Amino acid sequence: MSHDEHWLLLCGGVGGAKLALGLAHELPPGSLTVLVNTGDDFRHLGLWISPDLDTVTYTLAGLVNPATGWGLAGDTFHCLEGLSRLSGPDWFRLGDRDLATHLERTRRLAAGERLGSITSDLASRLGVSARIWPMSDDPVATLLHTDSGLLEFQDYFVRRQAAPVVRAIEYHGASEAGPAPGLANLLKDPGLAGIIIAPSNPWLSIDPILALPGLRQSLADARAPVVAVSPLIAGQAVKGPSAKIMRELGLPPDAQGIARHYLCLLDGFILDDRDEAEAAGIGLLGLETVAAPTLMRSLDDRRSLARVALGLARRLGNSIGRPHRQTG
Ligand code: GDP
């Protein structure tokens, strides 16, 4: 492996962070950049909350609550309990020590610092060697058009537990938002060995990133191979509403539906070995397809899925050009 090899992971929160951790263990320190969705970010109790950035940061720092996959291990909720007693808005779970992150991020944003620089600094103070980049320094808000009206992301996802039926999704502000500084250069870097799309929710976690101006095209133009991991296993999301949203949007909730969703960006696709019967059909779409265990329960599971993704991207990178890449 070359020392100058770099890898880029596109990811959301809990599902994406699991693969990020596997990759961070499998790659030399400093060679992984994680580009994280910020479409879930919102202002709450006067604080700027970036749930996916914090989930990835806490996970890579070894501090995440293993029971939930988000928040800090061993955190307490005294502040939230106090808020409840006062009938304040207690529907969004914020731990006491976690609050320090939101206080500090909000303080630094108010002082004029960019989200990317704050995120990098907080991550390095927590001992993370991977680069964690918010997809943009500019605010983007995922909004859901549902049978209960137009909903802000956290209202839909946390307060209403993703129950409303989704009709359409919009990424408010995305068309004017600048992609993470450094991203354009990374995508052109000859040392970029591969781009991996995490098994995150395609509509809620990855599409906000892909909605940034020029990003789809820069990914399609990158020399490095692009591979995605399916977030569905046997037609079901491991967690959250991915499959439910697919059904509501009239799409078949299966691995092929995920592969088709990303098709014009991809060279390779990893689906769960329980869905191996779908591999041939996905291969016919022109994608190098690998079936592997994708359920990440343990650190070993995370590392072995990371090795599968790295191996597939390396194989594709060694083939001449990008014969499978669609254009569009
Ligand atoms: P969120 O922002 O916290 O919802 O996190 P993500 O969007 O990153 O992750 C949610 C997606 O991850 C869901 O579609 C899950 O099905 C998927 N997911 C979670 N854990 C796993 C896993 O162990 N394996 C696979 N293949 N997908 C997973």
Side-chain angles (χ1 to χ4, degrees):
M1 186 190 301
S2 141
H3 290 298
D4 296 319
E5 207 182 64
H6 295 296
W7 292 82
L8 176 65
L9 177 73
L10 272 54
C11 96
V14 175
K18 290 186 193 173
L19 185 59
L21 185 66
L23 289 165
H25 277 269
E26 290 297 320
L27 291 169
S31 57
L32 175 66
T33 299
V34 189
L35 187 69
V36 182
N37 170 43
T38 55
D40 305 6
D41 290 18
F42 72 128
R43 190 171 285 285
H44 183 61
L45 298 168
L47 301 174
W48 189 254
I49 318 266
S50 300
D52 288 356
L53 281 175
D54 292 344
T55 295
V56 172
T57 303
Y58 295 161
T59 300
L60 293 183
L63 297 172
V64 82
N65 179 346
T68 53
W70 53 266
L72 288 161
D75 211 349
T76 52
F77 290 86
H78 300 303
C79 179
L80 202 75
E81 284 153 20
L83 197 61
S84 260
R85 214 171 298 130
L86 300 173
S87 301
D90 60 355
W91 55 273
F92 194 82
R93 306 281 301 159
L94 292 170
D96 296 324
R97 276 189 283 149
D98 181 33
L99 272 169
T101 305
H102 313 307
L103 286 164
E104 182 59 1
R105 174 169 41 233
T106 307
R107 182 188 71 77
R108 289 170 69 164
L109 283 169
E113 205 177 331
R114 312 286 292 176
L115 182 61
S117 114
I118 300 167
T119 303
S120 299
D121 185 53
L122 297 184
S124 76
R125 284 175 196 278
L126 295 178
V128 175
S129 67
R131 292 188 287 187
I132 301 175
W133 288 355
M135 66 186 202
S136 174
D137 282 335
D138 304 316
V140 174
T142 299
L143 301 177
L144 296 108
H145 296 260
T146 74
D147 62 352
S148 307
L150 182 64
L151 302 177
E152 289 181 356
F153 181 83
Q154 300 298 348
D155 185 13
Y156 161 79
F157 196 73
V158 177
R159 190 160 24 189
R160 300 177 196 237
Q161 308 208 331
V165 174
V166 173
R167 309 269 184 233
I169 304 173
E170 99 182 68
Y171 308 106
H172 186 75
S175 58
E176 297 95 56
L183 184 63
N185 283 342
L186 178 61
L187 290 173
K188 284 188 226 134
D189 187 335
L192 184 66
I195 301 163
I196 299 169
I197 300 180
S200 288
N201 185 312
W203 286 269
L204 302 183
S205 293
I206 303 296
D207 281 3
I209 305 178
L210 298 178
L212 295 169
L215 201 66
R216 277 180 170 276
Q217 195 57 50
S218 342
L219 286 172
D221 292 344
R223 222 177 42 87
V226 182
V227 308
V229 181
S230 175
L232 300 186
I233 301 179
Q236 299 200 328
V238 176
K239 163 192 163 288
S242 298
K244 176 177 178 282
I245 289 176
M246 290 178 86
R247 284 192 297 273
E248 291 166 357
L249 296 177
L251 302 165
D254 55 21
Q256 177 152 173
I258 303 284
R260 281 185 186 278
H261 182 70
Y262 294 130
L263 189 58
C264 39
L265 299 173
L266 292 187
D267 303 290
F269 189 74
I270 298 165
L271 77 173
D272 194 81
D273 52 10
R274 274 161 275 187
D275 296 319
E276 195 161 6
E278 288 187 62
I282 297 171
L284 289 176
L285 300 174
L287 302 179
E288 193 72 31
T289 305
V290 171
T294 69
L295 184 60
M296 295 175 281
R297 284 206 191 92
S298 63
L299 178 58
D300 277 352
D301 296 339
R302 288 158 172 73
R303 294 186 68 158
S304 75
L305 183 55
R307 286 195 299 275
V308 171
L310 295 169
L312 174 59
R314 288 205 175 97
R315 259 199 341 269
L316 286 160
N318 289 337
S319 61
I320 299 160
R322 295 181 52 180
H324 306 287
R325 181 79 56 93
Q326 323 276 309
T327 48

